[in-house]
């Protein structure tokens, strides 16, 4: 049936002081119109309303602050994006209430592994209650643009990490740590592990098992959890750095759990622990993410096959590279059994989707929608 151009549609503007508002239409004038659209069940409508609310000063800010409590995470994230750079004390208090912050030290080292800087930083996060005292902490990763891959001058880099290319990554939230054994147990009801410890990262799991946890976590929370794309992972790992590691030119066993007697650059030989360690045992990067280098490899969502032998044709929007149909997927970050160079921010691994080992784990992500 042809649409009647005179028939108001849902969310159409209705003009006229005493006119009867047609059923299903919203009054889009001023704050009442913004409130009406914020009551919509449609995410895009709600987010557009938040952007419009900025026009109405304090009354609009109150609506945006209220949206921090919205049940829909994309709406909550959109409100956060609009408020995060404001200096008003009451707004900061509300942000900290609904998306609190944590403080941490950011450390950098020279090529010999000697600390050359230390600064205090903070990040926003939210928590998921998984039951029985187990929580999942999700850290805010601000969107941005970076150069993915490594230059030919980076020691032990390979052609698979090139060409370096610019990627723009939207805002998202990433797990503060790799998924732990306690978190896995809370969601899945059983333990697959080689090294036992509630705070140790889950390992000895396949890509399919990691995806299965994301699905069950989504059902449990009502949010869409998933694996990080390879681009998201590298962007989150680098946290604004361009060096081989987010610590700088090298790593040491005091900073990362890896095969410390096979160092990188000019770092001296050090401790090799021969096992995983509790998550959060080493300093985080500037985004507040822990264990991005070493401990366990982290499954990503991207395919890794002969068709993807380098970055020619790779997505530039932060999405997962899904153009082939083979059975291999990307892992990132190195592990407790990796040499120093294998823990670099740009280094890639590939495993069959059913493969398992005491070195393979993952962390989760949940998308954010910015207006």
């Amino acid at each position: 049936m042809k649409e009647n151009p005179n028939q108001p549609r849902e969310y159409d503007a209705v003009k006229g002081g005493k006119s009867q508002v047609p059923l299903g239409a919203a009054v889009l004038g001023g704050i009442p119109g913004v409130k009406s659209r914020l009551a919509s069940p449609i995410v895009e409508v709600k987010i557009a309303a938040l952007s419009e609310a900025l026009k109405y000063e304090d009354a609009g800010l109150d609506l945006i602050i209220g949206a921090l409590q919205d049940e829909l995470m994309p709406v909550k994230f959109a409100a956060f994006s609009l408020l995060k750079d404001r200096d008003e004390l009451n707004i900061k208090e509300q942000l900290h209430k609904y998306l609190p912050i944590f403080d941490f030290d950011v450390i950098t080292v020279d090529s010999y592994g000697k600390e050359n800087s230390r600064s205090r930083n903070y990040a926003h996060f939210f928590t998921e209650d998984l039951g029985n005292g187990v929580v999942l902490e999700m850290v805010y990763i601000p969107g941005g643009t970076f150069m993915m891959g490594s230059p030919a001058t980076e020691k032990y880099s390979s052609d698979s990490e090139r060409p370096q290319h610019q990627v723009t990554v939207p805002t998202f939230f990433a797990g503060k740590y790799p998924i732990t054994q306690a978190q896995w147990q809370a969601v899945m009801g059983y333990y697959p592990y080689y090294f036992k410890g509630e705070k140790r990262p889950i390992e000895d799991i396949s890509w399919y098992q990691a995806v299965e946890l994301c699905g069950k976590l989504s059902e449990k929370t009502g949010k869409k959890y998933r694996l990080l794309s390879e681009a998201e992972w590298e962007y989150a790992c680098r946290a604004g750095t361009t060096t081989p590691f987010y610590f700088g030119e090298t790593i040491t066993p005091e900073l990362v759990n890896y095969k410390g007697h096979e160092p990188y650059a000019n770092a001296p030989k050090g401790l090799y622990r021969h096992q995983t360690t509790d998550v959060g045992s080493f300093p985080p990067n500037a985004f507040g993410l822990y264990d991005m280098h070493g401990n366990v490899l982290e499954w990503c969502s991207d395919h890794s096959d002969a068709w993807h032998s380098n970055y020619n044709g790779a997505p530039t929007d932060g999405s997962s590279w899904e153009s082939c149909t083979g059975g291999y997927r990307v892992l990132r970050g190195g592990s407790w059994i990796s040499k120093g160079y294998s823990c670099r921010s740009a280094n890639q691994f590939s495993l069959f989707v059913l493969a398992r080992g005491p070195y393979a784990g993952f962390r989760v992500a949940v998308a954010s929608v910015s207006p």
Side-chain angles (χ1 to χ4, degrees):
M1 181 182 294
K2 187 175 181 181
E3 183 178 313
N4 182 350
N6 298 317
Q7 177 64 38
R9 297 164 299 178
E10 189 174 11
Y11 309 116
D12 276 352
V14 178
K15 195 173 181 180
K18 296 183 180 181
S19 299
Q20 179 70 33
V21 179
L23 183 64
V27 179
L28 300 189
I31 287 295
V34 174
K35 288 182 178 179
S36 178
R37 279 176 288 156
L38 284 175
S40 166
I42 302 174
V43 171
E44 293 80 5
V45 172
K46 295 166 81 81
I47 291 175
L50 288 175
S51 296
E52 185 181 345
L54 286 174
K55 302 175 185 177
Y56 301 106
E57 300 180 346
D58 290 345
L61 284 175
D62 287 342
L63 293 178
I64 299 173
I65 291 170
L68 290 170
Q69 305 175 58
D70 199 281
E71 294 181 355
L72 298 171
M73 288 305 293
V75 178
K76 182 192 289 281
F77 296 162
F80 174 80
S81 297
L82 291 169
L83 298 172
K84 64 183 176 65
D85 295 323
R86 299 189 72 96
D87 294 324
E88 295 93 328
L89 180 59
N90 68 312
I91 292 178
K92 287 184 177 293
E93 289 175 345
Q94 292 298 314
L95 285 175
H96 296 170
K97 180 178 180 180
Y98 294 107
L99 282 171
I101 63 171
F102 66 97
D103 297 290
F104 51 90
D105 285 338
V106 178
I107 297 171
T108 62
V109 298
D110 61 20
S111 64
Y112 294 90
K114 183 179 179 180
E115 183 177 325
N116 56 21
S117 74
R118 181 182 291 254
S119 60
R120 200 68 178 163
N121 207 350
Y122 73 92
H124 286 275
F125 73 106
F126 72 91
T127 60
E128 298 279 19
D129 184 355
L130 303 182
N132 297 320
V134 179
V135 299
L136 171 66
E137 295 174 280
M138 298 298 296
V139 178
Y140 176 78
I141 308 299
T145 299
F146 80 113
M147 292 300 294
M148 184 173 178
S150 64
T153 54
E154 186 167 302
K155 190 175 182 181
Y156 294 120
S157 64
S158 69
D159 289 341
S160 67
E161 300 165 17
R162 289 183 279 275
Q164 277 191 292
H165 56 292
Q166 184 173 285
V167 178
T168 299
V169 178
T171 297
F172 67 104
F173 279 70
K176 187 176 183 180
Y177 313 110
I179 290 293
T180 66
Q181 293 176 24
Q183 290 166 343
W184 180 279
Q185 170 71 24
V187 177
M188 304 294 287
Y190 69 96
Y191 277 136
Y193 57 75
Y194 188 83
F195 303 108
K196 185 176 180 180
E198 288 190 350
K199 293 184 179 180
R200 293 196 185 200
I202 198 69
E203 28 82 2
D204 200 23
I205 59 166
S206 69
W207 183 84
Y208 279 124
Q209 288 175 296
V211 170
E212 183 183 7
L213 178 131
C214 291
K216 288 187 179 294
L217 184 59
S218 298
E219 293 174 6
K220 188 180 186 74
T221 64
K223 307 177 185 71
K224 190 175 181 180
Y225 279 93
R226 56 179 175 77
L227 298 178
L228 281 71
S229 72
E230 186 182 10
E232 286 176 327
W233 192 96
E234 186 173 328
Y235 174 76
C237 177
R238 290 187 179 279
T241 63
T242 57
T243 47
F245 308 90
Y246 64 71
F247 291 108
E249 295 297 331
T250 193
I251 50 176
T252 68
E254 289 70 43
L255 301 174
V256 172
N257 181 17
Y258 70 108
K259 194 178 284 187
H261 64 280
E262 299 195 48
Y264 184 83
N266 300 315
K269 291 184 178 181
L271 177 67
Y272 176 28
R273 295 178 174 85
H274 296 272
Q275 60 184 302
T276 61
T277 50
D278 286 358
V279 299
S281 297
F282 304 96
N285 66 11
F287 284 158
L289 299 180
Y290 291 77
D291 298 297
M292 296 295 283
H293 297 307
N295 214 8
V296 289
L297 284 159
E298 298 183 11
W299 286 108
C300 294
S301 57
D302 304 54
H303 277 104
S304 177
D305 294 283
W307 297 105
H308 292 174
S309 58
N310 56 46
Y311 284 134
N312 287 321
T316 59
D317 60 357
S319 62
S320 181
W321 198 359
E322 300 287 346
S323 62
C324 58
T325 58
Y328 287 79
R329 298 279 175 164
V330 172
L331 301 97
R332 287 300 205 107
S335 74
W336 60 272
I337 203 172
S338 298
K339 299 178 182 179
Y341 71 84
S342 295
C343 297
R344 292 176 300 109
S345 297
N347 197 66
Q348 301 171 304
F349 292 82
S350 175
L351 279 177
F352 185 61
V353 289
L354 296 177
R356 297 165 55 179
Y359 42 77
F362 67 106
R363 76 180 67 216
V364 295
V366 64
S368 169
V369 178
S370 297

mmCIF file with all atom_site columns, all heavy atoms in Angstrom, residues 284-296:
data_model
loop_
_atom_site.group_PDB
_atom_site.id
_atom_site.type_symbol
_atom_site.label_atom_id
_atom_site.label_alt_id
_atom_site.label_comp_id
_atom_site.label_asym_id
_atom_site.label_entity_id
_atom_site.label_seq_id
_atom_site.pdbx_PDB_ins_code
_atom_site.Cartn_x
_atom_site.Cartn_y
_atom_site.Cartn_z
_atom_site.occupancy
_atom_site.B_iso_or_equiv
_atom_site.pdbx_formal_charge
_atom_site.auth_seq_id
_atom_site.auth_comp_id
_atom_site.auth_asym_id
_atom_site.auth_atom_id
_atom_site.pdbx_PDB_model_num
ATOM 1   N N   . PRO A 1 284 ? 49.965 -2.293  33.875 1.00 0.00 ? 284 PRO A N   1
ATOM 2   C CA  . PRO A 1 284 ? 49.092 -2.185  32.691 1.00 0.00 ? 284 PRO A CA  1
ATOM 3   C C   . PRO A 1 284 ? 49.631 -1.177  31.692 1.00 0.00 ? 284 PRO A C   1
ATOM 4   O O   . PRO A 1 284 ? 50.633 -0.488  31.938 1.00 0.00 ? 284 PRO A O   1
ATOM 5   C CB  . PRO A 1 284 ? 47.783 -1.688  33.302 1.00 0.00 ? 284 PRO A CB  1
ATOM 6   C CG  . PRO A 1 284 ? 48.247 -0.774  34.406 1.00 0.00 ? 284 PRO A CG  1
ATOM 7   C CD  . PRO A 1 284 ? 49.475 -1.449  34.985 1.00 0.00 ? 284 PRO A CD  1
ATOM 8   N N   . ASN A 1 285 ? 48.924 -1.078  30.557 1.00 0.00 ? 285 ASN A N   1
ATOM 9   C CA  . ASN A 1 285 ? 49.259 -0.030  29.589 1.00 0.00 ? 285 ASN A CA  1
ATOM 10  C C   . ASN A 1 285 ? 48.467 1.235   29.903 1.00 0.00 ? 285 ASN A C   1
ATOM 11  O O   . ASN A 1 285 ? 47.744 1.314   30.899 1.00 0.00 ? 285 ASN A O   1
ATOM 12  C CB  . ASN A 1 285 ? 49.039 -0.515  28.150 1.00 0.00 ? 285 ASN A CB  1
ATOM 13  C CG  . ASN A 1 285 ? 47.577 -0.786  27.827 1.00 0.00 ? 285 ASN A CG  1
ATOM 14  O OD1 . ASN A 1 285 ? 46.656 -0.442  28.575 1.00 0.00 ? 285 ASN A OD1 1
ATOM 15  N ND2 . ASN A 1 285 ? 47.335 -1.409  26.683 1.00 0.00 ? 285 ASN A ND2 1
ATOM 16  N N   . ALA A 1 286 ? 48.580 2.236   29.034 1.00 0.00 ? 286 ALA A N   1
ATOM 17  C CA  . ALA A 1 286 ? 47.964 3.544   29.301 1.00 0.00 ? 286 ALA A CA  1
ATOM 18  C C   . ALA A 1 286 ? 46.445 3.507   29.247 1.00 0.00 ? 286 ALA A C   1
ATOM 19  O O   . ALA A 1 286 ? 45.793 4.438   29.739 1.00 0.00 ? 286 ALA A O   1
ATOM 20  C CB  . ALA A 1 286 ? 48.503 4.578   28.311 1.00 0.00 ? 286 ALA A CB  1
ATOM 21  N N   . PHE A 1 287 ? 45.832 2.472   28.678 1.00 0.00 ? 287 PHE A N   1
ATOM 22  C CA  . PHE A 1 287 ? 44.378 2.317   28.696 1.00 0.00 ? 287 PHE A CA  1
ATOM 23  C C   . PHE A 1 287 ? 43.897 1.612   29.969 1.00 0.00 ? 287 PHE A C   1
ATOM 24  O O   . PHE A 1 287 ? 42.698 1.516   30.206 1.00 0.00 ? 287 PHE A O   1
ATOM 25  C CB  . PHE A 1 287 ? 43.895 1.530   27.477 1.00 0.00 ? 287 PHE A CB  1
ATOM 26  C CG  . PHE A 1 287 ? 43.876 2.316   26.196 1.00 0.00 ? 287 PHE A CG  1
ATOM 27  C CD1 . PHE A 1 287 ? 43.920 1.647   24.972 1.00 0.00 ? 287 PHE A CD1 1
ATOM 28  C CD2 . PHE A 1 287 ? 43.805 3.703   26.191 1.00 0.00 ? 287 PHE A CD2 1
ATOM 29  C CE1 . PHE A 1 287 ? 43.890 2.364   23.769 1.00 0.00 ? 287 PHE A CE1 1
ATOM 30  C CE2 . PHE A 1 287 ? 43.779 4.417   24.999 1.00 0.00 ? 287 PHE A CE2 1
ATOM 31  C CZ  . PHE A 1 287 ? 43.824 3.747   23.787 1.00 0.00 ? 287 PHE A CZ  1
ATOM 32  N N   . GLY A 1 288 ? 44.839 1.063   30.755 1.00 0.00 ? 288 GLY A N   1
ATOM 33  C CA  . GLY A 1 288 ? 44.455 0.340   31.960 1.00 0.00 ? 288 GLY A CA  1
ATOM 34  C C   . GLY A 1 288 ? 44.202 -1.129  31.730 1.00 0.00 ? 288 GLY A C   1
ATOM 35  O O   . GLY A 1 288 ? 43.532 -1.783  32.543 1.00 0.00 ? 288 GLY A O   1
ATOM 36  N N   . LEU A 1 289 ? 44.746 -1.691  30.650 1.00 0.00 ? 289 LEU A N   1
ATOM 37  C CA  . LEU A 1 289 ? 44.594 -3.117  30.353 1.00 0.00 ? 289 LEU A CA  1
ATOM 38  C C   . LEU A 1 289 ? 45.842 -3.869  30.809 1.00 0.00 ? 289 LEU A C   1
ATOM 39  O O   . LEU A 1 289 ? 46.970 -3.431  30.568 1.00 0.00 ? 289 LEU A O   1
ATOM 40  C CB  . LEU A 1 289 ? 44.382 -3.331  28.855 1.00 0.00 ? 289 LEU A CB  1
ATOM 41  C CG  . LEU A 1 289 ? 43.144 -2.670  28.249 1.00 0.00 ? 289 LEU A CG  1
ATOM 42  C CD1 . LEU A 1 289 ? 43.076 -2.971  26.752 1.00 0.00 ? 289 LEU A CD1 1
ATOM 43  C CD2 . LEU A 1 289 ? 41.871 -3.127  28.946 1.00 0.00 ? 289 LEU A CD2 1
ATOM 44  N N   . TYR A 1 290 ? 45.625 -5.023  31.433 1.00 0.00 ? 290 TYR A N   1
ATOM 45  C CA  . TYR A 1 290 ? 46.716 -5.830  31.970 1.00 0.00 ? 290 TYR A CA  1
ATOM 46  C C   . TYR A 1 290 ? 46.957 -7.068  31.109 1.00 0.00 ? 290 TYR A C   1
ATOM 47  O O   . TYR A 1 290 ? 46.050 -7.576  30.456 1.00 0.00 ? 290 TYR A O   1
ATOM 48  C CB  . TYR A 1 290 ? 46.365 -6.282  33.389 1.00 0.00 ? 290 TYR A CB  1
ATOM 49  C CG  . TYR A 1 290 ? 46.340 -5.170  34.414 1.00 0.00 ? 290 TYR A CG  1
ATOM 50  C CD1 . TYR A 1 290 ? 45.267 -4.285  34.478 1.00 0.00 ? 290 TYR A CD1 1
ATOM 51  C CD2 . TYR A 1 290 ? 47.399 -5.006  35.322 1.00 0.00 ? 290 TYR A CD2 1
ATOM 52  C CE1 . TYR A 1 290 ? 45.239 -3.266  35.426 1.00 0.00 ? 290 TYR A CE1 1
ATOM 53  C CE2 . TYR A 1 290 ? 47.373 -3.994  36.268 1.00 0.00 ? 290 TYR A CE2 1
ATOM 54  C CZ  . TYR A 1 290 ? 46.292 -3.119  36.324 1.00 0.00 ? 290 TYR A CZ  1
ATOM 55  O OH  . TYR A 1 290 ? 46.266 -2.105  37.250 1.00 0.00 ? 290 TYR A OH  1
ATOM 56  N N   . ASP A 1 291 ? 48.200 -7.534  31.145 1.00 0.00 ? 291 ASP A N   1
ATOM 57  C CA  . ASP A 1 291 ? 48.574 -8.811  30.511 1.00 0.00 ? 291 ASP A CA  1
ATOM 58  C C   . ASP A 1 291 ? 48.358 -8.830  28.996 1.00 0.00 ? 291 ASP A C   1
ATOM 59  O O   . ASP A 1 291 ? 48.087 -9.894  28.423 1.00 0.00 ? 291 ASP A O   1
ATOM 60  C CB  . ASP A 1 291 ? 47.797 -9.978  31.144 1.00 0.00 ? 291 ASP A CB  1
ATOM 61  C CG  . ASP A 1 291 ? 48.116 -10.151 32.621 1.00 0.00 ? 291 ASP A CG  1
ATOM 62  O OD1 . ASP A 1 291 ? 49.277 -10.447 32.938 1.00 0.00 ? 291 ASP A OD1 1
ATOM 63  O OD2 . ASP A 1 291 ? 47.209 -9.970  33.449 1.00 0.00 ? 291 ASP A OD2 1
ATOM 64  N N   . MET A 1 292 ? 48.490 -7.687  28.354 1.00 0.00 ? 292 MET A N   1
ATOM 65  C CA  . MET A 1 292 ? 48.396 -7.682  26.889 1.00 0.00 ? 292 MET A CA  1
ATOM 66  C C   . MET A 1 292 ? 49.653 -8.277  26.261 1.00 0.00 ? 292 MET A C   1
ATOM 67  O O   . MET A 1 292 ? 49.624 -8.745  25.129 1.00 0.00 ? 292 MET A O   1
ATOM 68  C CB  . MET A 1 292 ? 48.165 -6.259  26.372 1.00 0.00 ? 292 MET A CB  1
ATOM 69  C CG  . MET A 1 292 ? 46.854 -5.631  26.796 1.00 0.00 ? 292 MET A CG  1
ATOM 70  S SD  . MET A 1 292 ? 45.389 -6.461  26.129 1.00 0.00 ? 292 MET A SD  1
ATOM 71  C CE  . MET A 1 292 ? 45.358 -5.863  24.435 1.00 0.00 ? 292 MET A CE  1
ATOM 72  N N   . HIS A 1 293 ? 50.771 -8.243  26.987 1.00 0.00 ? 293 HIS A N   1
ATOM 73  C CA  . HIS A 1 293 ? 51.992 -8.935  26.563 1.00 0.00 ? 293 HIS A CA  1
ATOM 74  C C   . HIS A 1 293 ? 52.191 -10.142 27.465 1.00 0.00 ? 293 HIS A C   1
ATOM 75  O O   . HIS A 1 293 ? 52.160 -10.040 28.694 1.00 0.00 ? 293 HIS A O   1
ATOM 76  C CB  . HIS A 1 293 ? 53.221 -8.029  26.693 1.00 0.00 ? 293 HIS A CB  1
ATOM 77  C CG  . HIS A 1 293 ? 53.199 -6.812  25.818 1.00 0.00 ? 293 HIS A CG  1
ATOM 78  N ND1 . HIS A 1 293 ? 52.984 -6.862  24.458 1.00 0.00 ? 293 HIS A ND1 1
ATOM 79  C CD2 . HIS A 1 293 ? 53.383 -5.495  26.115 1.00 0.00 ? 293 HIS A CD2 1
ATOM 80  C CE1 . HIS A 1 293 ? 53.041 -5.633  23.957 1.00 0.00 ? 293 HIS A CE1 1
ATOM 81  N NE2 . HIS A 1 293 ? 53.268 -4.798  24.938 1.00 0.00 ? 293 HIS A NE2 1
ATOM 82  N N   . GLY A 1 294 ? 52.389 -11.329 26.882 1.00 0.00 ? 294 GLY A N   1
ATOM 83  C CA  . GLY A 1 294 ? 52.716 -12.509 27.654 1.00 0.00 ? 294 GLY A CA  1
ATOM 84  C C   . GLY A 1 294 ? 51.552 -13.114 28.418 1.00 0.00 ? 294 GLY A C   1
ATOM 85  O O   . GLY A 1 294 ? 50.392 -12.778 28.207 1.00 0.00 ? 294 GLY A O   1
ATOM 86  N N   . ASN A 1 295 ? 51.874 -14.038 29.307 1.00 0.00 ? 295 ASN A N   1
ATOM 87  C CA  . ASN A 1 295 ? 50.943 -14.813 30.136 1.00 0.00 ? 295 ASN A CA  1
ATOM 88  C C   . ASN A 1 295 ? 50.158 -15.821 29.287 1.00 0.00 ? 295 ASN A C   1
ATOM 89  O O   . ASN A 1 295 ? 50.440 -16.996 29.325 1.00 0.00 ? 295 ASN A O   1
ATOM 90  C CB  . ASN A 1 295 ? 50.025 -13.920 30.962 1.00 0.00 ? 295 ASN A CB  1
ATOM 91  C CG  . ASN A 1 295 ? 49.691 -14.542 32.313 1.00 0.00 ? 295 ASN A CG  1
ATOM 92  O OD1 . ASN A 1 295 ? 50.250 -15.568 32.689 1.00 0.00 ? 295 ASN A OD1 1
ATOM 93  N ND2 . ASN A 1 295 ? 48.788 -13.924 33.055 1.00 0.00 ? 295 ASN A ND2 1
ATOM 94  N N   . VAL A 1 296 ? 49.134 -15.383 28.531 1.00 0.00 ? 296 VAL A N   1
ATOM 95  C CA  . VAL A 1 296 ? 48.491 -16.281 27.563 1.00 0.00 ? 296 VAL A CA  1
ATOM 96  C C   . VAL A 1 296 ? 48.255 -15.543 26.252 1.00 0.00 ? 296 VAL A C   1
ATOM 97  O O   . VAL A 1 296 ? 48.015 -14.334 26.244 1.00 0.00 ? 296 VAL A O   1
ATOM 98  C CB  . VAL A 1 296 ? 47.132 -16.832 28.070 1.00 0.00 ? 296 VAL A CB  1
ATOM 99  C CG1 . VAL A 1 296 ? 47.331 -17.824 29.191 1.00 0.00 ? 296 VAL A CG1 1
ATOM 100 C CG2 . VAL A 1 296 ? 46.187 -15.710 28.466 1.00 0.00 ? 296 VAL A CG2 1
#
